[in-house]
Amino acid sequence: LENLKLDFESCRLISDSGLKALASLREIKSLDLSLKGCNRITDQGIKNFCVEVLQRLKSLKSLNLNLGHTGITDNGVKILCTEGLKYLGGLETLKIGLGTLYNLTDEGVKALFCEGIRYLVGLITLHVNFDYSARITNSFIQAIYSEEKEGVMKSLTASLKDLQLGFYGCRN
């Protein structure tokens, strides 16, 4: 099996323990996992998914992960970066849906760029959706474009050919 798509959108009974079942995945090149609306998925589930699944997918080239409208917080996004994305050095395509995460703030978004995506040196395509994540402010934009942070966007754009960032409906 090289390509796997699992769409659990709005399956409200899918929880953290359900993600552990994916631990048997190996050697796939493309993973498309939608957990949008699975509000029983928490930071702990993301940690389990990273340690049990992502760290073992050494040949993964494409990851499409929709975590919108789940119970994930800034901490869960940080975990995704430090215990998941960090280990996917061969990733070429990354699409992450973080829309309608009411507990997501600038801190979680900064972590995604400064602690996660920044280390994916071969990344060609990056799409991130933050639509309706109401607690995102100017601070995020200033952080990723600031020269003090060694120009996170500058280092990303060296290999990127396709960048899409969506912030529709972000308001406090």
Side-chain angles (χ1 to χ4, degrees):
L1 183 65
E2 289 188 6
N3 305 305
L4 177 62
K5 179 176 181 172
L6 297 170
D7 188 345
F8 296 110
E9 186 169 336
S10 298
C11 292
R12 301 200 192 291
L13 296 179
I14 299 292
S15 67
D16 294 344
S17 61
L19 291 179
K20 288 183 181 181
L22 300 176
S24 63
L25 295 177
R26 299 282 188 282
E27 302 307 317
I28 63 171
K29 293 181 181 169
S30 175
L31 176 60
D32 184 340
L33 176 62
S34 178
L35 298 168
K36 182 179 180 182
C38 299
N39 55 4
R40 295 178 67 195
I41 300 294
T42 68
D43 295 346
Q44 184 59 49
I46 292 302
K47 181 174 180 133
N48 294 342
F49 176 71
C50 289
V51 171
E52 299 294 326
V53 181
L54 288 183
Q55 288 184 18
R56 298 175 185 203
L57 295 177
K58 303 296 184 198
S59 60
L60 195 64
K61 297 288 182 199
S62 176
L63 176 61
N64 186 351
L65 187 58
N66 192 337
L67 301 172
H69 213 347
T70 61
I72 296 169
T73 68
D74 288 341
N75 191 49
V77 174
K78 289 176 186 176
I79 291 168
L80 177 63
C81 296
T82 59
E83 298 188 35
L85 297 179
K86 181 179 173 181
Y87 294 91
L88 300 176
L91 206 60
E92 296 173 356
T93 300
L94 177 60
K95 297 179 181 180
I96 298 183
L98 297 172
T100 322
L101 290 181
Y102 299 115
N103 293 314
L104 184 67
T105 69
D106 290 332
E107 292 308 309
V109 179
K110 285 184 224 176
L112 182 62
F113 285 89
C114 299
E115 297 174 31
I117 294 170
R118 154 179 230 155
Y119 299 103
L120 301 175
V121 294
L123 201 60
I124 296 169
T125 300
L126 174 61
H127 297 181
V128 187
N129 177 332
F130 301 104
D131 292 355
Y132 295 103
S133 291
R135 298 174 68 197
I136 297 172
T137 69
N138 291 335
S139 176
F140 155 70
I141 297 169
Q142 292 164 346
I144 65 167
Y145 282 99
S146 166
E147 290 302 321
E148 294 169 13
K149 295 280 184 188
E150 299 173 15
V152 173
M153 288 308 291
K154 186 177 181 180
S155 65
L156 278 176
T157 55
S159 65
L160 279 179
K161 304 286 186 232
D162 181 9
L163 173 64
Q164 296 179 26
L165 303 176
F167 296 95
Y168 182 82
C170 292
R171 58 184 169 262
N172 291 342

